[in-house]
Amino acid sequence: MKRVLPFLLIPTISLAQSEIPSETALEKHCLTLNIYHEARGEVNDSLGKYNGSMENWLIVAMITRNRLDDPYYPDSWCKVVYQPYQYEWTRDGRPDEPNLTKKGDANAWKEIEVFVEGFMANHRYIKDPTEGSIDYAGCHVDNYWTRAYNLYREFGAHCVYHR
């Protein structure tokens, strides 16, 4: 599978019209990647079976959405996801695309795709459980900003902060 930089299509690259993803499809793909890398383990075990809540998927999706409305962050889903130093998985040196030959990863990916489809169609109508937050981290993380911000609430393995 080709790796496409989600927020940058360089005009000098010659792609057939059918290879260029629509903006909506690309934005959905970026959010799906973000949820997959940030919270896929919240609901899938090693056998690829659903074993929990999708609450953390909603937290990741909603905080990503909230960043779209914040002047500090870019104005597209992909640009928010790939903004430097926001998400560890975007700079860890490993491939961003999931390995769908692994049953658990493939199942998680499919479930998250369905979730993202519904979320993006309805996100403006979904009650925000983070109350507008733009910051979260794994609850195990202890760094300068998790100490500086106010812990709002824990959602499974994620802690949501208010500035």
Side-chain angles (χ1 to χ4, degrees):
M1 179 188 282
K2 286 184 183 178
R3 181 174 173 166
V4 176
L5 293 177
F7 59 93
L8 181 63
L9 291 176
I10 302 170
T12 58
I13 295 175
S14 176
L15 296 174
Q17 189 64 32
S18 62
E19 293 178 338
I20 300 173
S22 72
E23 181 178 338
T24 303
L26 187 59
E27 299 294 314
K28 287 177 185 175
H29 187 76
C30 289
L31 182 58
T32 303
L33 281 170
N34 201 31
I35 295 169
Y36 174 84
H37 288 291
E38 292 289 313
R40 77 177 172 274
E42 302 295 329
V43 296
N44 282 280
D45 63 19
S46 61
L47 299 175
K49 295 181 180 176
Y50 178 82
N51 70 350
S53 162
M54 287 187 257
E55 182 178 47
N56 278 358
W57 291 1
L58 178 59
I59 299 309
V60 172
M62 196 59 75
I63 288 177
T64 306
R65 196 283 314 266
N66 291 345
R67 289 178 177 190
L68 286 171
D69 297 332
D70 188 283
Y72 174 77
Y73 292 92
D75 60 357
S76 80
W77 295 89
C78 290
K79 288 178 182 177
V80 165
V81 168
Y82 281 92
Q83 184 178 21
Y85 304 104
Q86 297 302 308
Y87 298 104
E88 179 68 28
W89 67 267
T90 64
R91 57 189 171 94
D92 63 7
R94 293 182 285 196
D96 292 349
E97 295 299 321
N99 179 353
L100 300 180
T101 62
K102 295 180 180 178
K103 185 177 180 180
D105 290 347
N107 288 346
W109 181 258
K110 288 176 193 169
E111 291 285 329
I112 294 167
E113 279 185 317
V114 170
F115 172 85
V116 166
E117 185 74 30
F119 179 82
M120 289 192 76
N122 298 291
H123 65 89
R124 294 287 178 198
Y125 309 106
I126 299 171
K127 181 176 177 353
D128 180 1
T130 75
E131 295 190 11
S133 181
I134 58 171
D135 299 298
Y136 74 92
C139 291
H140 66 281
V141 173
D142 180 27
N143 62 28
Y144 73 94
W145 73 263
T146 59
R147 291 188 300 273
Y149 299 160
N150 298 313
L151 175 62
Y152 166 65
R153 190 171 153 203
E154 291 184 26
F155 295 91
H158 289 91
C159 285
V160 173
Y161 296 87
H162 286 175
R163 293 181 183 202

